[in-house]
Amino acid sequence: MTVHEDLAQGFLEDFQKEPSAMTALLELRDRHISGDMNEGDIYGTGYADALGSSARFAPKQWPLHQHAAFLELHALVGSGAVTYTCISTGGAPGADADREGNAAKLAQTHPRFTAHLDMTQNGADADGTLRWEGRLEVSRPTGAFFCGSACRNASQSILVKPANVAASSVPLEVGDSWPSRTLMHLIQYGAVARWPYGSKLIWLFLNFNRGVDW
């Protein structure tokens, strides 16, 4: 196993000690397998693939420790420990081998940000970096939900509060990346940017538990 897979295995072993945690893990795994995690619900279309994805293995084929990492990420977002913001690009990423094509799309990233793609990625920790200057305003979930219009529907929305993020440079992962790698970046660096296959957006995740200047 890699370092990030070992990390995910540790979370799985912790969950296995708590029946309620394992119940939550299996319920979220079933939701993910059924596809409703990417159907534009309260977290938005593309959310699940931003947490982690694999073109080679469908979610039903994932090892259980990757579902554990996925649950941990989802719980961190839901509690407000981690927040995310979406950033426009020049399109969805192509194959990994098309570095020049992907770099051209990243050159069209929202002007507030600079996305750099490692053109060789020879053993690097990430596919590139995402940088921004000046403070960035984001919405941070509070862990609470509300019904925006109880008279018209019963759907819930996340209750958020504003937060400021200092200028920084964070790892960028393009295309497929296991949830355990996303989680490792959030723990190690306090942030990670994900540009998953099929998405025209970069998903910037920020870890407020990391203790960095967010």
Side-chain angles (χ1 to χ4, degrees), residues 19 26 33 37 48 52-53 59 74 82 98 102 109 132-133 143 149-150 183-184 199 204 209:
L26 297 177
I33 289 173
M37 292 292 293
S53 62
H74 185 58
V82 168
D98 186 15
N102 286 335
T109 298
W132 64 95
E133 302 296 335
S149 178
L183 184 58
M184 182 182 71
S199 177
L204 172 59
N209 282 351

Side-chain angles (χ1 to χ4, degrees), residues 56-100:
R56 184 178 178 185
F57 300 106
K60 66 180 180 181
Q61 298 173 303
W62 284 14
L64 195 55
H65 65 264
Q66 290 299 337
H67 288 290
F70 188 92
L71 171 62
E72 180 66 16
L73 288 165
H74 185 58
L76 288 170
V77 171
S79 68
V82 168
T83 193
Y84 65 86
T85 190
C86 294
I87 303 157
S88 62
T89 69
D96 283 349
D98 186 15
R99 296 257 164 197
E100 291 186 1

